[in-house]
Amino acid sequence: GAGVSQSPSNKVTEKGKDVELRCDPISGHTALYWYRQSLGQGLEFLIYFQGNSAPDKSGLPSDRFSAERTGGSVSTLTIQRTQQEDSAVYLCASSPRSGRAGEQFFGPGTRLTVL
Amino acid sequence: AQTVTQSQPEMSVQEAETVTLSCTYDTSESDYYLFWYKQPPSRQMILVIRQEAYKQQNATENRFSVNFQKAAKSFSLKISDSQLGDAAMYFCAYRGHPQGGSEKLVFGKGTKLTVNP
């Protein structure tokens, strides 16, 4: 079956612009996660969605970052007024359900470059 | 907060040989899960092996096995009969118990493994 997909694969933007990154999880997966992978910080958790519960936003680095998940499926991560330090690979993952040590299935990521 | 440390930024191994990647972690929880993920240049993170902390037996998946030392908070990955396709970044990750902790994965900084022919 299809895995987690992310778009775009690469995004180059100018400082101060807004960007939207999209994640399509595996069909039927109720949990969805966003991580950021940067050279200096490694892999960092950003946000977690589980069903209709309130998302865990504890990893979002600033109020310029937001995410939503529509219809319990597709998710969009929005970064407003991008800064050069936002340059990183943004990874999305999904898993069948929470409450278990289920594998998180990762997408190929979106490489964001802020000039 | 939980932390994961991978002390080897880079490792190399000859094809067909065995290599061990180190990982230590810090937590106050008694029940949790540990993972090793592989990330090739394609950026796709792939689960290699997982270990549940309440299980004393070390997990094994074909050529991959772990040495889980709960008291020492150590979780090393052994790759036997290394193959060229094993070359990648390897990340150790921690996840707390779902009822008491967060669903998020906490990652180490990674170890870049090179396999020499």
Side-chain angles (χ1 to χ4, degrees):
Chain A
V4 177
S5 60
Q6 292 186 245
S7 59
S9 178
N10 292 281
K11 176 71 176 179
V12 180
T13 190
E14 294 180 347
K15 178 181 174 182
K17 300 285 189 182
D18 297 351
V19 295
E20 286 188 350
L21 312 180
R22 177 187 170 103
C23 172
D24 283 87
I26 293 172
S27 178
H29 282 193
T30 59
L32 186 147
Y33 312 78
W34 283 98
Y35 295 89
R36 178 170 72 174
Q37 184 174 20
S38 54
L39 283 176
Q41 300 298 323
L43 274 151
E44 307 169 277
F45 164 78
L46 296 177
I47 188 168
Y48 157 65
F49 297 90
Q50 170 55 39
N52 295 321
S53 302
D56 175 0
K57 304 179 181 180
S58 60
L60 294 178
S62 77
D63 58 8
R64 296 186 296 104
F65 288 72
S66 63
E68 62 177 18
R69 188 178 185 191
T70 54
S73 182
V74 171
S75 177
T76 302
L77 177 68
T78 301
I79 309 173
Q80 296 178 311
R81 305 180 302 281
T82 52
Q83 304 294 312
Q84 288 183 331
E85 60 263 28
D86 299 334
S87 295
V89 174
Y90 289 82
L91 293 167
C92 176
S94 68
S95 67
R97 56 176 169 166
S98 67
R100 293 171 60 90
E103 174 182 356
Q104 292 186 18
F105 295 79
F106 282 81
T110 294
R111 180 178 297 280
L112 175 66
T113 302
V114 182
L115 302 176
Chain B
Q2 292 80 19
T3 58
V4 177
T5 302
Q6 293 179 249
S7 59
Q8 305 153 317
E10 297 186 21
M11 291 282 285
S12 63
V13 62
Q14 291 295 126
E15 195 174 4
E17 296 294 308
T18 296
V19 64
T20 299
L21 308 184
S22 301
C23 173
T24 58
Y25 57 94
D26 188 26
T27 184
S28 58
E29 297 177 317
S30 60
D31 197 10
Y32 47 86
Y33 307 99
L34 297 164
F35 305 86
W36 279 98
Y37 276 88
K38 169 185 177 181
Q39 186 180 43
S42 67
R43 297 199 307 242
Q44 189 84 42
M45 296 281 281
I46 302 164
L47 178 67
V48 174
I49 199 166
R50 85 186 83 187
Q51 175 80 41
E52 294 160 323
Y54 69 86
K55 290 186 177 179
Q56 293 184 342
Q57 187 173 6
N58 289 324
T60 299
E61 289 287 343
N62 300 314
R63 297 183 296 107
F64 299 87
S65 61
V66 298
N67 183 4
F68 173 49
Q69 301 289 329
K70 190 172 184 179
K73 296 180 182 175
S74 171
F75 183 60
S76 61
L77 174 69
K78 185 171 82 171
I79 306 173
S80 303
D81 186 24
S82 297
Q83 300 176 0
L84 295 177
D86 294 335
M89 282 291 290
Y90 285 82
F91 292 94
C92 180
Y94 171 101
R95 174 182 160 176
H97 191 276
Q99 289 187 347
S102 171
E103 300 283 346
K104 68 181 181 182
L105 290 172
V106 178
F107 288 90
K109 298 286 190 187
T111 296
K112 182 179 180 181
L113 179 65
T114 301
V115 181
N116 300 310

